[in-house]
Amino acid sequence: MTDTGTDTPLRDLPESWPVVSTDLPFTGKKTGVRTDEVRMPDGSVARRDYQVHPGSVAVLAVDERDRVAVIRQYRHPVRHRLWEIPAGLLDVPGEPPLPAARRELWEETHLRAEDWRVLVDLYTSPGGTDEAVRIFLARGLSPAEGERYEVSEEEADMERAMVPLEELRGAVLAGELGNTCLVVGVLSLLAARGAPGGIDALRPAEAPWSARPIRD
């Protein structure tokens, strides 16, 4: 048993406090905003506004030269052009995470991968959204067959590159790269390589993912 200094297990546990009332005052193209009145442990009621989100997948795709497939695109909410790893919403009803990740890798980089593992799961900002992301590690890369996926909007201006993992680590720790999935993916891969069992100890690509779907 892990010594956490308490009797609480070192894992996130599902829990749901009573919701007195709920409303969905805004629904956008892919996400919305929900307002819940939540009963607190002391009996009071607090209002919680948060973004409802279908969830996302991201792919840290690494080639035989230890280079990572990255893209660069404009992100309007933060007014920056960010370097990122391929990622996308789980917006196809009933689609499992792995096929979605394969699709995003193809659409954004025109690559395919032979070896897939779950690298890490995370909540992007649990105080303000229910978005959960599964980041996959993809290896054994090769060009995808057929024509490239036709992109539009921000993606039409997207740049693509293969960048050495060590160069990304340096840029992350220098504060020069800030995309959540890129930062978490790069540092998680480096941590996994140094952990007992290495990459082989990572979860299989179709491992259960308790964060999705959320059922009210």
Side-chain angles (χ1 to χ4, degrees):
M1 180 176 179
T2 302
D3 182 8
T4 62
T6 72
D7 294 330
T8 304
L10 191 59
R11 65 177 182 273
D12 297 333
L13 299 175
E15 185 172 341
S16 181
W17 292 359
V19 176
V20 177
S21 66
T22 187
D23 187 25
L24 197 65
F26 171 77
T27 301
K29 184 178 178 181
K30 300 293 184 181
T31 67
V33 173
R34 181 178 296 248
T35 296
D36 288 344
E37 299 284 342
V38 184
R39 181 79 64 187
M40 300 287 112
D42 64 0
S44 64
V45 174
R47 173 175 167 170
R48 294 291 179 262
D49 302 317
Y50 58 98
Q51 180 193 37
V52 290
H53 195 285
S56 306
V57 291
V59 184
L60 192 80
V62 185
D63 70 6
E64 73 283 354
R65 294 167 57 187
D66 216 28
R67 301 179 304 170
V68 177
V70 293
I71 59 177
R72 185 171 179 256
Q73 62 176 320
Y74 176 67
R75 293 300 190 183
H76 185 72
V78 297
R79 306 301 199 273
H80 273 70
R81 188 182 294 269
L82 301 179
W83 283 107
E84 306 178 353
I85 58 176
L89 300 178
L90 289 168
D91 54 358
V92 178
E95 184 178 32
L98 180 57
R102 293 183 188 276
R103 184 184 68 248
E104 292 300 331
L105 181 63
W106 169 69
E107 289 181 358
E108 298 192 352
T109 67
H110 201 63
L111 293 172
R112 60 187 298 272
E114 292 296 330
D115 184 77
W116 290 81
R117 312 287 178 95
V118 174
L119 184 57
V120 68
D121 297 328
L122 68 143
Y123 294 106
T124 56
S125 183
T129 177
D130 65 357
E131 181 185 12
V133 179
R134 168 159 281 188
I135 303 178
F136 290 89
L137 172 65
R139 299 182 299 171
L141 305 184
S142 61
E145 298 178 353
E147 296 183 0
R148 284 186 174 274
Y149 176 76
E150 186 175 347
V151 296
S152 60
E153 299 179 348
E154 291 96 336
E155 294 182 350
D157 193 42
M158 181 186 297
E159 300 176 47
R160 300 171 180 84
M162 299 295 297
V163 179
L165 181 65
E166 283 297 320
E167 186 174 337
L168 290 173
R169 171 166 63 174
V172 166
L173 296 180
E176 296 170 348
L177 299 174
N179 173 263
T180 301
C181 292
L182 185 149
V183 171
V184 173
V186 165
L187 298 184
S188 294
L189 176 57
L190 292 166
R193 287 179 173 178
I199 300 301
D200 291 338
L202 290 174
R203 288 169 290 164
E206 296 180 336
W209 188 17
S210 61
R212 280 295 179 266
I214 288 179
R215 295 181 176 88
D216 292 330

